[in-house]
Amino acid sequence: MKNDKPAINILVVDDQPLLLRLMARVLPSTDPSVEVVAAHTGREALEALEAHSFDLCFLDVGLPDMSGLMVMEKMRAISPETRIAVMTASHLTEAMKGQIREGAWAFIEKPFRLADIRKIVNNALIRTSRNLTGAHSRDVPRRL
């Protein structure tokens, strides 16, 4: 039987190959229509965003070529409809927290639980009328 659901496109941006592989395996398990594109740098992320449309982006703050917050600003200009979930294991200054509050749809600290990632995906799907589990937007992890 053919799956007629439209693809759910997710961009994952992180410089840690292990995390990228983990997300590429876990996210499609949320729903078979999930398609994941991985980027190791901010530049790769912006190139992917110019070539494809994404429903959701998991974006690390610490990237090798530019700040994830700079990438977030550029992403919002290129694709304002893409929901951005900022991830970090780094200490955040108050200014950085303000930028994240202003520009991100969700925030998650590393290390994170896979359940938190699934909640973010499900809440993004609710917003795009592709609800999988009936999760509510109040379930989105947001700790700033």
Side-chain angles (χ1 to χ4, degrees):
M1 189 163 118
K2 185 181 172 201
N3 182 0
D4 290 330
K5 284 175 69 174
I8 300 154
N9 298 307
I10 300 176
L11 176 62
V12 180
V13 187
D14 200 292
D15 61 334
Q16 298 176 5
L18 182 61
L19 182 84
L20 290 175
R21 284 194 302 272
L22 174 70
M23 296 284 274
R25 290 175 75 187
V26 168
L27 293 173
S29 72
T30 307
D31 183 273
S33 62
V34 168
E35 295 180 6
V36 178
V37 172
H40 296 88
T41 66
R43 181 178 175 167
E44 286 180 17
L46 296 173
E47 288 172 356
L49 199 61
E50 288 183 2
H52 305 285
S53 172
F54 293 97
D55 300 297
L56 177 62
C57 173
F58 286 95
L59 175 63
D60 188 25
V61 170
L63 298 172
D65 60 340
M66 65 180 78
S67 160
L69 298 180
M70 180 185 292
V71 175
M72 179 179 68
E73 287 180 25
K74 292 181 181 200
M75 289 179 80
R76 287 176 40 94
I78 295 168
S79 180
E81 68 280 357
T82 300
R83 288 166 184 80
I84 301 169
V86 172
M87 311 180 291
T88 189
S90 305
H91 171 74
L92 297 174
T93 65
E94 287 304 313
M96 293 168 83
K97 289 178 183 180
Q99 278 185 280
I100 293 168
R101 277 189 214 104
E102 186 91 10
W105 181 73
F107 173 78
I108 188 163
E109 290 180 276
K110 293 179 184 178
F112 49 76
R113 298 176 320 169
L114 293 178
D116 291 339
I117 295 299
R118 287 187 178 107
K119 283 181 184 177
I120 290 171
V121 171
N122 283 325
N123 279 289
L125 298 177
I126 288 169
R127 302 274 188 198
T128 57
S129 301
R130 299 180 201 161
N131 184 11
L132 302 175
T133 65
H136 299 288
S137 60
R138 69 178 175 271
D139 294 333
V140 174
R142 189 170 187 108
R143 294 176 232 136
L144 277 183

